[in-house]
Amino acid sequence: KFLQQYNTTNKSLQYAVKTFIRSCAGYCVITYILGIGDRHLDNLLIQKDGHLFHIDFGFIFGKDPKPFPPPMKLCKEMIDVMGGPNSSGYLQFRTLCCTVFNILRKHASLILNLLSLMKDANIEGYGPKGQHDVVLKKVQDKFRLDLNDEEADAYLLKLIDDSVTALFPQLVESLHKIAMAFK
């Protein structure tokens, strides 16, 4: 539906797709690091200019209502918007994901310190009092600070590949679409 609003020769389509690729890269990496759950297409909005954003943060820090969630939400429809799995757009997406991941890794201590300041905020999913360290450790582990940048790139690209090829999330997404059709 996103692409249907554009004429395929229109420059605004090219801009929107480039914006979508950048937004999707940031979305995939940050939702992975923060453990954002319940990531299905009904919780994603796309603006006309291609900006993608997630609208439901009820499940965070590894909580997810669905069993066996993939590390990242990256479905066929998203890859199709990028031009398909063999396109330059998808290759750019993968490169951007690695860039975003390594930039965030360089600022991991700042992010972890900010999260530690939230321990008294009573955020659901952040863990009961005294258990915040467990949540912080999970987030810290996702940064893979034990890896150099090249190793981190390889690690993240494997997460992307695992997310794209995961069959159970595809089944859950199909069931979710069916359930929404009956509402």
Side-chain angles (χ1 to χ4, degrees):
K1 290 180 182 179
F2 169 68
L3 294 176
Q4 292 172 352
Q5 63 186 317
Y6 297 98
N7 176 337
T8 55
T9 60
N10 194 332
K11 286 189 180 191
S12 62
L13 170 65
Q14 295 169 356
Y15 174 80
V17 170
K18 285 181 182 180
T19 301
F20 174 79
I21 290 168
R22 290 190 308 266
S23 288
C24 194
Y27 162 79
C28 286
V29 174
I30 198 65
T31 56
Y32 161 69
I33 288 173
L34 295 178
I36 306 295
D38 202 22
R39 298 161 297 157
H40 53 80
L41 294 178
D42 289 336
N43 281 344
L44 295 176
L45 296 178
I46 302 175
Q47 294 177 325
K48 288 182 180 182
D49 65 358
H51 285 100
L52 173 129
F53 56 98
H54 190 82
I55 61 169
D56 183 354
F57 295 92
F59 297 95
I60 59 174
F61 304 119
K63 305 291 186 217
D64 201 307
K66 297 175 181 79
F68 311 113
M72 295 180 180
K73 174 61 179 178
L74 189 61
C75 62
K76 178 188 178 310
E77 292 85 355
M78 296 164 101
I79 295 171
D80 287 345
V81 171
M82 295 176 203
N86 298 316
S87 69
S88 61
Y90 183 60
L91 180 61
Q92 179 189 18
F93 162 79
R94 291 168 60 89
T95 301
L96 284 169
C97 283
C98 292
T99 301
V100 168
F101 187 55
N102 278 314
I103 289 170
L104 290 175
R105 284 169 16 93
K106 286 176 180 44
H107 299 283
S109 62
L110 173 63
I111 295 166
L112 293 166
N113 282 327
L114 288 170
L115 290 174
S116 71
L117 290 173
M118 296 171 28
K119 68 181 178 185
D120 295 323
N122 294 324
I123 296 173
E124 190 173 329
Y126 194 32
K129 289 207 182 277
Q131 297 296 318
H132 307 298
D133 290 341
V134 174
V135 171
L136 282 173
K137 178 72 171 122
K138 285 181 183 179
V139 174
Q140 181 178 344
D141 290 348
K142 288 189 174 185
F143 281 113
R144 293 303 310 260
L145 299 174
D146 59 315
L147 304 176
N148 65 36
D149 286 355
E150 292 79 23
E151 293 168 333
D153 287 350
Y155 172 78
L156 192 73
L157 290 173
K158 179 160 179 8
L159 286 180
I160 292 170
D161 292 341
D162 290 348
S163 298
V164 170
T165 59
L167 295 176
F168 195 76
Q170 293 173 26
L171 174 65
V172 170
E173 185 72 38
S174 297
L175 293 173
H176 181 79
K177 286 178 186 176
I178 293 168
M180 291 294 109
F182 285 105
K183 276 193 168 188

